[in-house]
Structures are given as C-alpha cells and as structure tokens.
Amino acid sequence: MSASRANYAATLDSVIDDQEEVLITRPGREGVVMVAQREYESMRETLYLMASPANWRRLSEAVARLEADGGTARELADEDTTS
C-alpha cells in the first residue's frame, strides 16, 4: 500500500487544516494537485472574473486605486433586514 493511501485521511485533513496543496506524483503519469474545495472554488471564480479583458482591467484598476489611496473601511450591513 502506498504512503498516500495509508495516510489518506491525514493528508486530506492537512490540506484543509493547513490550507496547503499537496502534489501527488505518479511514475510516468501527470501529477495531481489536491486542494481544499473552498480554495478550488476561489481559484475558479478568479479565473472566471479574469477571463474577460474588460473585467480584468476594471478589477486591476480598482486594486491599484485601493493600494494607492488605502481605501475606506466600512461595516458590512446585516443580512437580516426583516427586523
């Protein structure tokens, strides 16, 4: 039994708890990266947002303005608006 199979649960926990990816290599085959689902979803969203040149430009300009001016901290509105 391989080390990754013997330690599968511990490896999964480590990926999630340490927020670090794990590269799994296989002789003669392409490697696989194991990453926490929330990190994967975040990467996919970033790729989606950056796929449009116009959107990429707007986001880049917004980040540059934020870094230059320091931005303004604001409290988030409470999502429960029924009360």
Side-chain angles (χ1 to χ4, degrees):
M1 180 180 280
S2 72
S4 64
R5 286 183 184 159
N7 298 309
Y8 189 65
T11 301
L12 293 175
D13 290 340
S14 175
V15 166
I16 294 168
D17 296 341
D18 300 338
Q19 296 183 7
E20 291 287 332
E21 66 277 351
V22 171
L23 175 60
I24 300 170
T25 58
R26 303 180 298 165
R29 302 287 309 262
E30 184 176 2
V32 174
V33 177
M34 186 184 302
V35 64
Q37 183 176 354
R38 68 179 170 267
E39 294 298 320
Y40 173 75
E41 290 169 356
S42 176
M43 288 186 293
R44 293 217 15 152
E45 183 171 351
T46 299
L47 289 171
Y48 173 78
L49 292 172
M50 296 300 187
S52 159
N55 202 37
W56 179 86
R57 188 174 45 258
R58 283 193 301 270
L59 289 170
S60 295
E61 289 169 357
V63 168
R65 283 193 311 271
L66 180 62
E67 289 174 347
D69 300 331
T72 302
R74 298 178 190 255
E75 293 293 322
L76 293 177
D78 188 359
E79 289 185 33
D80 182 11
T81 59
T82 59
S83 49

